[in-house]
Amino acid sequence: MNVTVYNCREFDEEELFFRYAKELGIGLTLCQDAPDMDNISLANGSECVNIITSKMTEELLAGLKENGVSYLTTRTIGYDHIDMEAAKNLGIRVGNAPYGPHGVADYTVMLILMSIRKMKRILQRGSIQDFSLEGIQGRELKDLTVGIIGTGRIGRTVIHSLSGFGCKMLAYDLYENEEVKKEADYVSLEELWQQADIITLHAPLTEENYHMIGKSTISKMKDGVVIINTARGGLIDTEALISGIESGKISAAGLDVVENEFGLYYYDRKSDTLDNRELSVLRGFPNVTVTHHMAFYTDDCVETVIRDSLMGCKLFVEGKENPWEVA
Ligand code: NAI
């Protein structure tokens, strides 16, 4: 059997693809580019195609079908970049490759600590040999209340990791989880806005929670609140966030995701004039740490998605039960 892999990164993925393909007895066609109508014929001869976050439109899926593809796997947890309706109509099955929650959870804890210890300012000062102390006094987690929104796999892991720091934890989710109750107290969103010193987001972006942190919710929060987002940019109204930082209502933010990051993140744009003003403003604040949607990016994650996406292909071709198939 053969698998055609698109968006294969040479610097970290290629070697792993070769290793696991050999172990599983799979032939590979590797392409560094995203699938498009010009290179879709590379899938010819492969029953399975392996992609990352590039948009899979009806046209592209039809192109895959014409080339004999019947299983599409994505090296991600989410699959909202695939037109699932079209895939279903074309008879293409879809699989994903979920990785563990620890990478994002660790990163969240790091952003929390960086924010309350003013690490961006400390690093900026150190880089110009400004070794003064004024303005970089931090706070201790044991004295603070953390509000966790979304207690799924990542939110739960964050709660468990934070339990060692001695902070009080308030949680909110549409569905309560018994495990969480051992370490955090479920409260209403209203209570969470009012009582949390640090608010960290771990819910998926839906129509209902779009801009859940906005002008009106920020006004309910404690003065000096810290906001952490490693979930999705659209959960926060960026304009309202900027106003909150400018007024001092929000004392710090750690943002691994921002609105309108598509087209920027994962590309080298250092010589370009960017058209995302909000990102420039956020990056300019000394109390805001912005990173490019990479909380997931660990050795464990990369290895897991490559191994499991290929395993899914193998099980599909062999007609066996495939735990990675999502539709
Ligand atoms: P999950 O599906 O295990 O948990 C999500 C939780 O959010 C569920 O318990 C769900 O009930 C809850 N939820 C849904 N809507 C909600 C709402 N309106 N208010 C409160 N809670 C709500 O997902 P997981 O794996 O924990 O991931 C959480 C989010 O983290 C993902 O949806 C994704 O947006 C983000 N993520 C970010 C990554 C990064 O690199 N920065 C990598 C992976 C995921």
Side-chain angles (χ1 to χ4, degrees), residues 77 99 104 149-155 172-175 201-206 208-209 212 230-232 256-257 266 293-297:
I77 296 179
Y99 41 87
V104 181
I149 298 182
T151 55
R153 291 178 341 133
I154 295 171
Y172 173 77
D173 196 301
L174 304 177
Y175 309 97
L201 301 175
H202 302 288
L205 177 62
T206 62
E208 289 73 44
N209 65 17
M212 74 187 299
T230 58
R232 285 293 178 268
D256 186 48
V257 288
Y266 310 143
H293 200 150
M294 52 172 310
F296 72 93
Y297 191 51

Side-chain angles (χ1 to χ4, degrees), residues 1 23 70 77 94 107 114 130 134 148 161 182 186 191 199 212 250 256:
M1 64 171 287
E23 261 178 39
S70 43
I77 296 179
V94 177
Y107 205 89
M114 284 182 74
D130 173 354
E134 191 180 347
I148 300 99
S161 301
K182 293 180 190 162
Y186 277 106
E191 288 170 293
I199 295 174
M212 74 187 299
I250 298 168
D256 186 48

